């Protein structure tokens, strides 16, 4: 489980964002649909057989590896007992830079997916709701504060802007 090693405002905001996002991938049987390379614990034999795709950057390599592991019949287990202290970004500029890199990684990962138009529409509709609409409902239910809503909106805008930049640039380059 990824935890933040500071009580700074940025660390708290990022911690809330991570916890809300991660819950979506946690299955009732204790498995997860994704993995975070920052908190991966696996036998070396698995990592030798299922290597990280080094062409993908942060935000993409963990998702891609999780897909291959799952397809290979390997369960991705989650434990809240295993704690990893994450180094926090200490300025908004550093957080925004991290979100941009992670968004680039998501864009790279999405380029590896072979989806038809309807699947893409469903995917982006779900992501749009989760990242931009549902935080408003959390605010209305007093589950998050206004500062958390603003932080979420800003960081998600940077993340998805970077992802779309990769998607649109690479797709255009493929068609030239």
């Amino acid at each position: 489980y990824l935890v933040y090693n500071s009580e700074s405002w940025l660390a708290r905001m990022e911690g809330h964002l991570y916890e809300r996002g991660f819950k979506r991938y946690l299955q009732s049987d204790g498995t997860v649909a994704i993995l975070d390379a920052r908190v991966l614990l696996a036998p070396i034999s698995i990592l030798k057989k299922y290597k990280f795709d080094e062409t993908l950057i942060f935000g993409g390599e963990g998702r891609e590896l999780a897909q291959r592991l799952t397809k290979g019949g390997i369960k991705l287990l989650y434990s809240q007992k295993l704690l990893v202290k994450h180094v926090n970004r200490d300025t908004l500029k550093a957080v925004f830079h991290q979100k941009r890199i992670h968004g680039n990684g998501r864009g790279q990962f999405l380029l590896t997916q072979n989806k038809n138009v309807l699947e893409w529409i469903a995917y982006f509709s779900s992501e749009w709701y989760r990242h931009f609409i549902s935080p408003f409902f959390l605010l209305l239910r007093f589950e998050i504060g206004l500062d958390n809503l603003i932080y979420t909106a800003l960081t998600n805008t940077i993340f998805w802007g970077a992802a779309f930049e990769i998607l649109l640039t690479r797709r255009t380059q493929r068609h030239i």
Side-chain angles (χ1 to χ4, degrees):
Y1 185 70
L2 188 64
V3 296
Y4 291 82
N5 60 3
S6 169
E7 285 304 312
S8 74
W9 180 81
L10 285 173
R12 285 194 320 274
M13 292 300 106
E14 193 61 21
H16 291 261
L17 192 62
Y18 181 82
E19 287 174 19
R20 285 195 323 265
F22 187 76
K23 286 179 184 176
R24 177 174 187 234
Y25 300 105
L26 186 58
Q27 310 295 316
S28 60
D29 65 354
T31 61
V32 289
I34 64 164
L35 60 85
D36 187 325
R38 299 172 289 182
V39 294
L40 174 63
L41 180 64
I44 291 189
S45 60
I46 297 288
L47 295 176
K48 283 184 178 180
K49 183 175 180 180
Y50 297 91
K51 296 179 180 176
F52 279 100
D53 182 343
E54 297 293 333
T55 65
L56 298 174
I57 59 173
F58 311 119
E61 82 281 1
R63 287 176 178 270
E64 190 276 335
L65 178 60
Q67 272 189 343
R68 287 188 291 118
L69 289 168
T70 303
K71 285 180 184 174
I74 296 169
K75 287 186 177 185
L76 304 176
L77 302 175
Y78 168 77
S79 173
Q80 202 163 1
K81 293 177 183 177
L82 296 170
L83 300 178
V84 173
K85 295 226 176 190
H86 187 263
V87 176
N88 302 316
R89 303 306 185 265
D90 56 359
T91 66
L92 277 175
K93 182 179 178 181
V95 169
F96 292 166
H97 178 72
Q98 178 189 32
K99 295 299 177 180
R100 183 169 173 72
I101 290 171
H102 287 182
N104 287 159
R106 178 69 65 90
Q108 285 182 324
F109 168 73
L110 292 174
L111 284 172
T112 69
Q113 305 303 293
N114 191 13
K115 296 182 183 290
N116 66 42
V117 172
L118 292 177
E119 290 171 323
W120 280 118
I121 291 170
Y123 174 80
F124 284 117
S125 297
S126 169
E127 293 298 305
W128 175 260
Y129 178 83
R130 181 168 79 97
H131 287 95
F132 295 100
I133 305 300
S134 69
F136 283 101
F137 292 111
L138 295 173
L139 178 71
L140 292 173
R141 291 192 310 256
F142 301 103
E143 293 179 33
I144 64 172
L146 184 59
D147 59 343
N148 203 304
L149 176 71
I150 293 168
Y151 179 85
T152 300
L154 284 173
T155 57
N156 283 330
T157 299
I158 291 166
F159 175 90
W160 284 105
F164 278 112
E165 179 183 32
I166 293 294
L167 285 170
L168 297 174
T169 303
R170 299 275 171 87
R171 289 208 184 273
T172 303
Q173 289 174 351
R174 286 182 181 177
H175 293 99
I176 294 177

